[in-house]
C-alpha cells in the first residue's frame, strides 16, 4: 500500500519553488538598487534600507504565490516560505562569498523575509478565489 502525503507536507515543493522565485525578484530589485547607488540617485547610506526593502518585496511575492492556490493553513505556509527564503539566501551567500560571515545586517533581513512572506500569504487569503 502506498502512503500519500497529506496536509502541510505535500505543499513543501511549491513553497520552495516560490521562495526561489522570490529570491530571483529580490536579486533583480537589489540590482536596480545598486544601479541607483552607482549613478548617484540613491545615497550609499540607504543601502541597508534598500536590502531590507528588496527582501520584503521578494518574500511578499513568494508568500503570495505560495499561499494563493492552497488557501488553507495560510500563516504556516507564509512562515515556511519565508524560512525557505532565508535558508536559500544564507546558502547562496555561503557558496559565493565563502570567507565572509554575516554581521549586524542579518536580523533586519530575516525579519523582512518572514514578515513579507506572512503578509503575502495573508494578502492571498483576502482575495476571492476563482472557481
Amino acid at each position: 500500500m502506498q502512503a500519500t502525503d497529506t496536509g502541510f507536507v505535500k505543499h513543501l515543493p511549491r513553497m520552495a519553488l516560490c521562495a526561489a522565485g522570490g529570491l530571483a525578484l529580490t536579486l533583480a530589485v537589489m540590482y536596480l538598487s545598486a544601479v541607483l547607488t552607482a549613478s548617484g540617485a540613491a545615497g550609499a547610506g540607504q543601502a541597508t534600507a534598500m536590502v531590507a526593502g528588496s527582501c520584503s518585496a521578494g518574500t511578499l511575492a513568494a508568500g503570495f504565490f505560495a499561499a494563493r492556490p492552497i488557501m488553507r493553513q495560510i500563516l504556516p505556509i507564509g512562515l515556511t516560505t519565508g524560512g525557505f527564503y532565508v535558508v536559500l539566501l544564507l546558502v547562496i551567500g555561503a557558496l559565493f562569498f565563502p570567507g565572509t560571515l554575516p554581521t549586524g545586517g542579518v536580523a533586519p533581513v530575516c525579519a523582512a523575509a518572514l514578515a513579507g512572506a506572512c503578509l503575502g500569504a495573508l494578502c492571498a487569503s483576502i482575495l476571492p478565489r476563482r472557481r
Side-chain angles (χ1 to χ4, degrees):
M1 184 176 282
Q2 182 180 4
T4 59
D5 289 334
T6 58
F8 191 73
V9 176
K10 68 180 176 180
H11 301 297
L12 287 176
R14 178 176 190 77
M15 289 184 275
L17 183 65
C18 288
L23 187 63
L25 178 65
T26 297
L27 292 176
V29 173
M30 280 188 187
Y31 177 74
L32 290 175
S33 300
V35 168
L36 287 174
T37 303
S39 69
Q46 298 171 336
T48 305
M50 288 189 279
V51 168
S54 62
C55 287
S56 296
T59 56
L60 182 72
F64 182 81
F65 288 118
R68 182 73 181 134
I70 299 167
M71 298 302 287
R72 285 185 295 262
Q73 300 173 339
I74 295 290
L75 199 56
I77 286 173
L79 282 171
T80 306
T81 304
F84 276 132
Y85 177 87
V86 170
V87 167
L88 279 173
L89 198 62
L90 291 174
V91 166
I92 288 173
L95 287 176
F96 289 109
F97 306 106
T100 61
L101 291 174
T103 57
V106 173
V109 170
C110 289
L114 294 176
C118 290
L119 287 174
L122 291 175
C123 287
S125 69
I126 293 172
L127 297 175
R129 189 171 188 177
R130 292 184 199 161
R131 297 201 186 252

